[in-house]
Amino acid sequence: MFMTIFGILGCTAILITGFGMKDSLNGIIDNQYKKIIHYDIIGVYNPDASQKEKGDYDKAVNDIKGVKKKDNVYFESVTAKPKGVIDNQQITMMVPEHKNTFNDFVTLRNIDNGHKMKLKNDGVAITQKLAKLGHYKVGDHMNIQDKAGHKHKVRIAQITQMYAGHDVIMDSSYYQKAFDKKVKYNGKIINLKDRSDKNINKVSRDLNSQDAAMTAVQSNQSKTAINTILDGLDNIVLIIVLASSALSFVVLFTLTNINVSERTRELATLRVLGFYKRETVMYIYRETIILTIIGILVGFIGGYYLHQFIMSTLPPNNAMADMTLYWTNFAISTGLTLLFSFIVMLIMARKISKIDMLGALNSVD
């Protein structure tokens, strides 16, 4: 009984984890680039360039065809070293010119209920994975180091959902308070109507060709990297499914075979007493079905916690997986396990029907 339950538990848990891994990484794409990130390009330029160069850059932005929305933003790469983390974490710091419309480019979402948030003026918004790494809570302070090597202490006013990368976002008034200077916008954040990779690359090249240009940050760069991982994950999920399926089949076949072999005389007695073949098979297999169902139900719990453990430790420090397990994972895992159980039942039915009743009854235990 325990061997069957634990064997099916392991099979079901591994199946749920395998399918769940794929869904969790797919969830990064769906959540990050459909619900959170809406901008396509941040064109970063030198704010100290000549007026002509900056004017040419503005003209290049205005000449872009198919711009849905655009705004000024301050963009800088900073670093922080959260408590308990060995390496410095690379962080994208953004200060939008108009905080009330910033959700059109990056939606700030509450980590508890997913509701939209607006930037506050009494602190910064940091991403969920950064908060988890440093064990930060709302109201705590953290130090960030700018590109000049100067450290600045900022207060955490909000923690927002983000699945790839670390971000620190603040409004212009808090930037002036924390950095003791007025913000000097150095970027154009742009939403395009045509969001294809080809068009985004073309616009980036046009912006980077300007004398004032420093770089063009594309939101689809991380998306491409994640899609590459997902392509390779399909083979891993296939291996997991095949391995767990083989485990299920071997466990059920071996234990059912042992059960039948040890109870040959009992089965022969039933046949002699007038039981039909189907009744004799179900006499044995009713136990197997009940134990299989118990193993599947316990496997749901094991699969949930195994998936949570793997998906919380697998992503790197600058990424976070979607921990949601869909009902389809449980349904498919249950269906496959029951299918293998049915196949084993067909095989065992043939073996039971071929039992030599006379020889079994005459044998000495």
Side-chain angles (χ1 to χ4, degrees):
M1 180 185 74
F2 285 113
M3 290 173 69
T4 303
I5 291 175
F6 282 113
I8 299 302
L9 183 159
C11 164
T12 307
I14 294 172
L15 280 172
I16 291 173
T17 302
F19 291 124
M21 285 171 59
K22 184 172 177 60
D23 286 340
S24 292
L25 292 177
N26 273 323
I28 296 178
I29 298 291
D30 294 337
N31 288 307
Q32 181 84 352
Y33 298 100
K34 292 181 180 179
K35 299 178 182 178
I36 298 175
I37 299 295
H38 311 297
Y39 73 86
D40 297 297
I41 298 172
I42 299 178
V44 182
Y45 60 90
N46 182 7
D48 297 322
S50 67
Q51 289 297 326
K52 182 181 182 305
E53 290 174 338
K54 288 193 289 185
D56 291 340
Y57 194 89
D58 286 338
K59 184 177 182 302
V61 172
N62 293 329
D63 289 343
I64 298 172
K65 294 180 180 179
V67 173
K68 192 175 180 181
K69 290 178 183 176
K70 63 182 178 181
D71 198 7
N72 291 319
V73 67
Y74 177 75
F75 182 93
E76 182 182 352
S77 293
V78 297
T79 59
K81 190 175 182 182
K83 295 172 288 187
V85 179
I86 299 175
D87 300 325
N88 287 330
Q89 298 298 305
Q90 297 294 324
I91 300 172
T92 297
M93 184 175 71
M94 287 189 283
V95 183
E97 183 177 14
H98 303 100
K99 69 176 184 180
N100 291 330
T101 59
F102 187 64
N103 275 332
D104 293 336
F105 303 96
V106 178
T107 299
L108 304 180
R109 292 163 57 93
N110 188 289
I111 61 174
D112 295 320
N113 52 34
H115 292 165
K116 292 182 180 180
M117 304 184 297
K118 288 190 176 181
L119 276 176
K120 296 182 177 180
N121 57 8
D122 61 345
V124 303
I126 69 169
T127 49
Q128 187 175 357
K129 187 61 181 281
L130 182 59
K132 184 178 179 181
L133 284 176
H135 305 286
Y136 296 125
K137 296 177 292 185
V138 172
D140 291 346
H141 289 80
M142 64 177 289
N143 292 315
I144 58 176
Q145 183 172 304
D146 60 25
K147 58 186 177 183
H150 303 137
K151 289 187 177 180
H152 306 273
K153 180 179 283 189
V154 295
R155 178 182 178 274
I156 300 169
Q158 298 164 291
I159 299 175
T160 182
Q161 291 180 358
M162 190 71 71
Y163 292 88
H166 299 315
D167 291 305
V168 170
I169 305 167
M170 67 189 82
D171 74 345
S172 56
S173 61
Y174 190 78
Y175 176 89
Q176 185 173 350
K177 178 180 178 181
F179 288 77
D180 199 25
K181 61 181 179 181
K182 287 188 176 182
V183 61
K184 189 184 290 186
Y185 299 108
N186 68 342
K188 302 285 185 180
I189 189 166
I190 303 170
N191 289 0
L192 298 172
K193 293 179 182 178
D194 180 2
R195 307 193 69 188
S196 65
D197 292 345
K198 182 179 179 181
N199 188 51
I200 292 175
N201 290 333
K202 179 183 179 300
V203 173
S204 298
R205 287 195 302 269
D206 292 341
L207 292 179
N208 284 333
S209 66
Q210 301 299 314
D211 293 333
M214 296 183 68
T215 187
V217 179
Q218 300 179 9
S219 64
N220 64 351
Q221 289 175 336
S222 299
K223 185 178 179 180
T224 302
I226 295 170
N227 280 326
T228 302
I229 296 173
L230 287 175
D231 291 339
L233 187 67
D234 288 338
N235 296 327
I236 297 176
V237 171
L238 178 61
I239 293 172
I240 291 175
V241 170
L242 292 177
S244 56
S245 300
L247 170 65
S248 172
F249 187 83
V250 169
V251 167
L252 288 171
F253 182 82
T254 303
L255 295 179
T256 305
N257 189 44
I258 292 173
N259 196 12
V260 171
S261 299
E262 291 292 325
R263 300 169 71 177
T264 304
R265 293 191 68 187
E266 184 179 349
L267 294 172
T269 303
L270 293 175
R271 292 297 306 280
V272 169
L273 291 175
F275 279 69
Y276 293 108
K277 290 182 180 180
R278 181 168 171 270
E279 292 175 317
T280 309
V281 170
M282 291 306 299
Y283 179 78
I284 290 291
Y285 218 77
R286 189 176 293 110
E287 301 170 2
T288 304
I289 291 174
I290 293 173
L291 295 179
T292 299
I293 293 173
I294 293 173
I296 289 172
L297 294 177
V298 180
F300 286 171
I301 301 172
Y304 172 82
Y305 284 106
L306 181 61
H307 172 265
Q308 293 286 311
F309 172 75
I310 290 178
M311 295 317 299
S312 62
T313 56
L314 179 64
N317 284 338
N318 63 344
M320 183 180 69
D322 182 5
M323 307 301 281
T324 305
L325 272 175
Y326 300 103
W327 67 268
T328 51
N329 294 334
F330 297 94
I332 294 173
S333 301
T334 301
L336 286 174
T337 305
L338 292 177
L339 174 63
F340 298 131
S341 178
F342 180 72
I343 294 172
V344 171
M345 182 176 70
L346 294 178
I347 297 173
M348 287 298 106
R350 294 187 62 186
K351 180 173 181 178
I352 292 173
S353 64
K354 293 180 179 180
I355 291 176
D356 181 4
M357 292 181 288
L358 183 61
L361 292 173
N362 287 332
S363 63
V364 178
D365 289 331

